[in-house]
Amino acid sequence: MCGIVGYIGAQQATPIILEGLKKLEYRGYDSAGICTLQAGQAAIRRSEGKLVNLENRLQAEPLHGTIGIGHTRWATHGRPSETNAHPHKGGPFIVVHNGIIENYLALKEMLIGKGHTFKSETDTEVISHLLEENYKSARDFEQTVRLTLQELRGAYAVCILCEQQPDILIAAKLGSPMVVGLGAAEYFVASDIPAILSHTREMVFMEDGEMVVFRDNTAQFSTVAGAALEKQPRHIDWSPLMAEKGGYKHFMLKEIFEQPRAIRDTITGRLLDAEGDVHLETLKLADTDLRAVERITIIACGTSWHAALVGKFLIEEHCRIPVEVDIASEFRYRNPIVNDKTLMVLISQSGETADTLAALREGKSRGAKNVAICNVVDSSIARESDGVIYTHAGPEIGVASTKAFITQLVALYLFTVRLGRAIGTLDRDKGLAMNQALLQLPALIDETLLLNPQLEQLARTYMNATDFLYLGRGINYPIALEGALKLKEISYIHAEGYPAGEMKHGPIALIDEKLPVVVLVPHNDTYEKVASNMEEVIARGGRVIAVCTAGDTEVPKKAEATLEIPSCSDDLVPVVLAIPLQLLAYHVAVMKGTDVDQPRNLAKSVTVE
């Protein structure tokens, strides 16, 4: 996820901003840039790649000035490049931006019609040109910013400079984080605490719809609409490492709690209410292409393979096209049957997974159409695919995938709606209902995260078990596989996931009074079947940890421990179920003293076969 740093005061801005950007490197980025105002003129330096490239450029072409803004970019609109790097300039205005502007295309068309020329592929450049356009009538920096922000739809955290008023820095937020640091006659602004912690520990946390104007050694807070605000600073006593983790003990826990935000970012700008459809801007497959598909093969590894299994249920249920799910490392070694009527869906968080990339190339050689689901813009798999659906999880530091997995599930759901509408298996009303259900999902995840204290206690109870069994059925059995994988990855406890109906075909022999069995039993059309499987476990002395729907009166009477999740659409239950299983694995691992963020023998991205 992008990083922002801004400074106004008496010191040279560039060293402070560059230091701040380095403290945000853990967030991930593909390019960076800085702008300062020198004698009322903007000077901008930008570089693709790591910050060392920007540092080298600054040594050759120094920036001076006591007011400036900087940015590290995680690409969402437009490939990683110097041209697409921030800051962006329109007329006298210079902008850095985190977030996604949903209506940027409409605004861009309007601005082009008024004579504006765009240099980048980003949604952010629209903001700078819209500021320039509005300044023609407002003739005031602050008022221009207010008018412009009210025209934007989507999410943003912005820092803005203006050459016409070079002693003012303005920042605002809606849906993306922003914190203000208060110094002695100087001010700092950043997207996260670590960037400015070495300069001040007095912080003001901005809320959505708020704006701050720095001028004349003051910080004036207000709503975007103009109502004055009184904001109280908070003293931060975190260590620098704690600050990087947002106060969480581990990156994994931070990333688990970031999942509502990650879902919102992945669906923002994509749901078309009027049509009951989904807009996937980089899918690049027309309706005619999708109607020609007779068979779908989803290919992935590890956690992404579990997401693929959920995708099979979604697509077959709503689109009535047969779906096969392949493990990428096996695909090209079995002489696969694919042709020009086959659509391959490749899922990879990094977009660099060697086996998945090899599978993509094998399928292309046989004439198959293909689309990638990945989290990294312009990655190898994204570049080589016919089309791509980007997730917007942001960088994931913990090796065990959490928010990347959740956003893959959401991407598959979005693709299901788009495919169903294109081929006619979903009508407008059904598509609209599915979109409305998806809009409720972040709030449901927020509610599910409230189980965290209960899961910490459960972990204490079961941490010394040597084996776990996870059971689910239907669309939820892949989540049993994922729950078992998470526990294995980070706690090193042996765990297996199974479709609940398969328990009698082998795993039942393992059940005794020492074996914890996690049973996923939400209230859906397989409820009675899974409840019966749970009874079979109990009858053999197994220790049942049941995950059921809130309000269930029967399951809590029988299970040794019960976790209740909020009710939601059957299609989205897998997303909600995944949350308590992530937290259970996390807390067990912490109590066993393992390296949660970097478990032994594992790599974040497997780029060799």
Side-chain angles (χ1 to χ4, degrees):
M1 195 170 182
C2 307
I4 283 175
V5 183
Y7 174 77
I8 181 170
Q11 301 185 62
Q12 285 294 308
T14 298
I16 294 170
I17 294 169
L18 190 59
E19 175 196 357
L21 295 178
K22 289 180 180 178
K23 297 291 179 61
L24 297 179
E25 283 190 288
Y26 72 92
R27 295 163 68 91
Y29 64 100
D30 50 54
S31 56
I34 292 177
C35 172
T36 61
L37 294 181
Q38 303 171 186
Q41 295 294 312
I44 298 173
R45 306 286 184 266
R46 303 184 299 192
S47 294
E48 184 182 352
K50 295 300 181 184
L51 277 168
V52 65
N53 298 336
L54 180 61
E55 278 190 283
N56 291 338
R57 182 162 184 189
L58 287 168
Q59 287 178 357
E61 305 172 65
L63 289 179
H64 303 286
T66 58
I67 180 172
I69 53 178
H71 189 269
T72 51
R73 178 176 186 254
W74 174 268
T76 55
H77 292 79
R79 61 187 174 83
S81 67
E82 182 179 336
T83 302
N84 288 331
H86 300 210
H88 288 287
K89 190 173 186 293
F93 295 95
I94 308 93
V95 179
V96 292
H97 162 235
N98 291 351
I100 298 173
I101 304 304
E102 295 180 31
N103 59 333
Y104 88 99
L105 283 175
L107 291 171
K108 187 173 184 177
E109 289 177 7
M110 178 272 290
L111 290 163
I112 290 172
K114 292 179 177 288
H116 291 259
T117 300
F118 287 80
K119 299 177 180 178
S120 78
E121 304 166 280
T122 69
D123 54 338
T124 301
E125 191 181 358
V126 166
I127 303 174
S128 63
H129 287 277
L130 188 59
L131 287 162
E132 181 186 11
E133 186 64 30
N134 287 333
Y135 191 65
K136 294 175 183 177
S137 57
R139 307 308 304 172
D140 174 78
F141 183 14
E142 182 178 340
Q143 184 59 23
T144 297
V145 172
R146 294 189 192 280
L147 290 172
T148 299
L149 295 179
Q150 291 177 67
E151 292 186 59
L152 304 180
R153 290 204 319 269
Y156 60 75
V158 292
C159 281
I160 306 170
L161 297 175
C162 178
E163 291 174 317
Q164 304 299 327
Q165 293 178 267
D167 55 349
I168 297 175
L169 169 62
I170 297 180
K173 79 171 289 281
L174 180 67
S176 292
M178 179 161 282
V179 60
V180 172
L182 310 180
E186 61 182 356
Y187 296 93
F188 311 83
V189 61
S191 50
D192 210 350
I193 292 170
I196 55 179
L197 192 63
S198 63
H199 298 281
T200 178
R201 291 181 175 267
E202 300 304 312
M203 309 282 185
V204 174
F205 293 88
M206 295 183 66
E207 303 294 335
D208 284 350
E210 292 183 355
M211 184 171 116
V212 58
V213 179
F214 303 100
R215 65 179 154 209
D216 300 329
N217 293 327
T218 66
Q220 300 166 356
F221 292 91
S222 64
T223 66
V224 169
L229 296 171
E230 291 291 331
K231 303 284 289 185
Q232 295 302 314
R234 173 182 161 193
H235 181 77
I236 302 298
D237 56 8
W238 296 346
S239 69
L241 185 58
M242 285 176 63
E244 281 189 15
K245 296 173 182 175
Y248 292 97
K249 189 173 182 180
H250 297 95
F251 281 112
M252 182 179 177
L253 186 61
K254 177 177 183 282
E255 287 156 3
I256 290 172
F257 275 82
E258 285 177 341
Q259 289 176 128
R261 189 274 308 158
I263 294 169
R264 290 187 186 98
D265 286 353
T266 298
I267 65 178
T268 293
R270 288 174 162 174
L271 306 185
L272 304 175
D273 289 345
E275 297 91 341
D277 204 342
V278 166
H279 170 61
L280 298 172
E281 62 279 5
T282 51
L283 182 62
K284 296 181 182 177
L285 292 176
D287 285 5
T288 52
D289 296 321
L290 295 174
R291 292 185 192 118
V293 172
E294 295 179 354
R295 181 167 159 270
I296 294 174
T297 298
I298 311 180
I299 298 171
C301 301
T303 284
S304 296
W305 184 71
H306 298 155
L309 292 171
V310 175
K312 172 183 172 70
F313 281 92
L314 290 171
I315 294 168
E316 290 190 343
E317 172 68 23
H318 295 291
C319 304
R320 309 310 298 157
I321 295 176
V323 178
E324 184 175 346
V325 177
D326 257 293
I327 295 172
S329 57
E330 295 293 325
F331 179 76
R332 67 192 173 111
Y333 294 109
R334 63 171 181 82
N335 194 17
I337 302 172
V338 297
N339 56 34
D340 60 357
K341 301 294 184 183
T342 304
L343 175 65
M344 292 173 54
V345 179
L346 298 304
I347 307 178
S348 167
Q349 185 279 141
S350 66
E352 302 293 344
T353 310
D355 288 318
T356 308
L357 183 58
L360 166 63
R361 291 168 178 167
E362 179 70 20
K364 287 178 71 172
S365 73
R366 295 169 183 251
K369 299 182 182 71
N370 51 80
V371 60
I373 294 175
C374 69
N375 193 41
V376 180
V377 172
D378 216 31
S379 57
S380 295
I381 291 173
R383 289 196 309 271
E384 295 192 26
S385 294
D386 296 332
V388 60
I389 303 169
Y390 285 116
T391 58
H392 295 306
E396 190 173 64
I397 309 302
V399 167
S401 181
T402 53
K403 62 179 181 174
F405 171 66
I406 291 298
T407 54
Q408 287 169 356
L409 294 178
V410 171
L412 286 161
Y413 185 98
L414 291 168
F415 176 68
T416 299
V417 176
R418 176 78 279 274
L419 179 61
R421 293 293 286 127
I423 66 177
T425 56
L426 289 178
D427 61 20
R428 177 190 173 278
D429 289 345
K430 179 60 177 175
L432 180 60
M434 291 181 70
N435 285 353
Q436 290 300 315
L438 188 56
L439 283 171
Q440 305 306 312
L441 185 58
L444 295 173
I445 302 302
D446 276 324
E447 184 177 346
T448 307
L449 288 167
L450 296 175
L451 292 170
N452 187 47
Q454 184 182 350
L455 282 153
E456 188 171 5
Q457 289 300 316
L458 277 181
R460 200 173 305 280
T461 301
Y462 297 100
M463 62 176 284
N464 292 317
T466 56
D467 302 274
F468 271 72
L469 184 62
Y470 288 71
L471 301 175
R473 204 149 191 166
I475 195 173
N476 300 314
Y477 98 75
I479 305 306
L481 306 184
E482 174 63 11
L485 178 61
K486 281 292 153 286
L487 190 70
K488 281 185 282 195
E489 285 180 314
I490 62 173
S491 74
Y492 316 144
I493 294 174
H494 174 256
E496 295 296 335
Y498 274 89
E502 284 292 293
M503 182 182 65
K504 294 189 289 293
H505 298 276
I508 198 167
L510 300 173
I511 296 172
D512 60 20
E513 68 281 356
K514 296 180 181 179
L515 182 70
V517 183
V518 180
V519 183
L520 308 182
V521 56
H523 213 285
N524 59 13
D525 58 359
T526 62
Y527 173 79
E528 292 181 356
K529 298 288 186 184
V530 181
S532 176
N533 298 137
M534 184 180 75
E535 294 276 14
E536 292 170 334
V537 174
I538 294 169
R540 287 157 180 81
R543 306 177 68 186
V544 170
I545 305 168
V547 188
C548 65
T549 305
D552 190 316
T553 57
E554 295 302 316
V555 168
K557 295 176 185 177
K558 300 169 182 176
E560 183 173 292
T562 305
L563 297 160
E564 295 189 359
I565 62 168
S567 178
C568 68
S569 156
D570 288 352
D571 295 330
L572 293 172
V573 167
V575 185
V576 181
L577 280 175
I579 308 306
L581 304 192
Q582 293 171 350
L583 287 167
L584 178 62
Y586 169 78
H587 287 299
V588 169
V590 169
M591 290 173 188
K592 291 184 75 67
T594 65
D595 188 340
V596 173
D597 287 331
Q598 294 183 318
R600 66 189 184 201
N601 303 330
L602 294 178
K604 185 66 186 170
S605 178
V606 182
T607 57
V608 294
E609 187 175 359

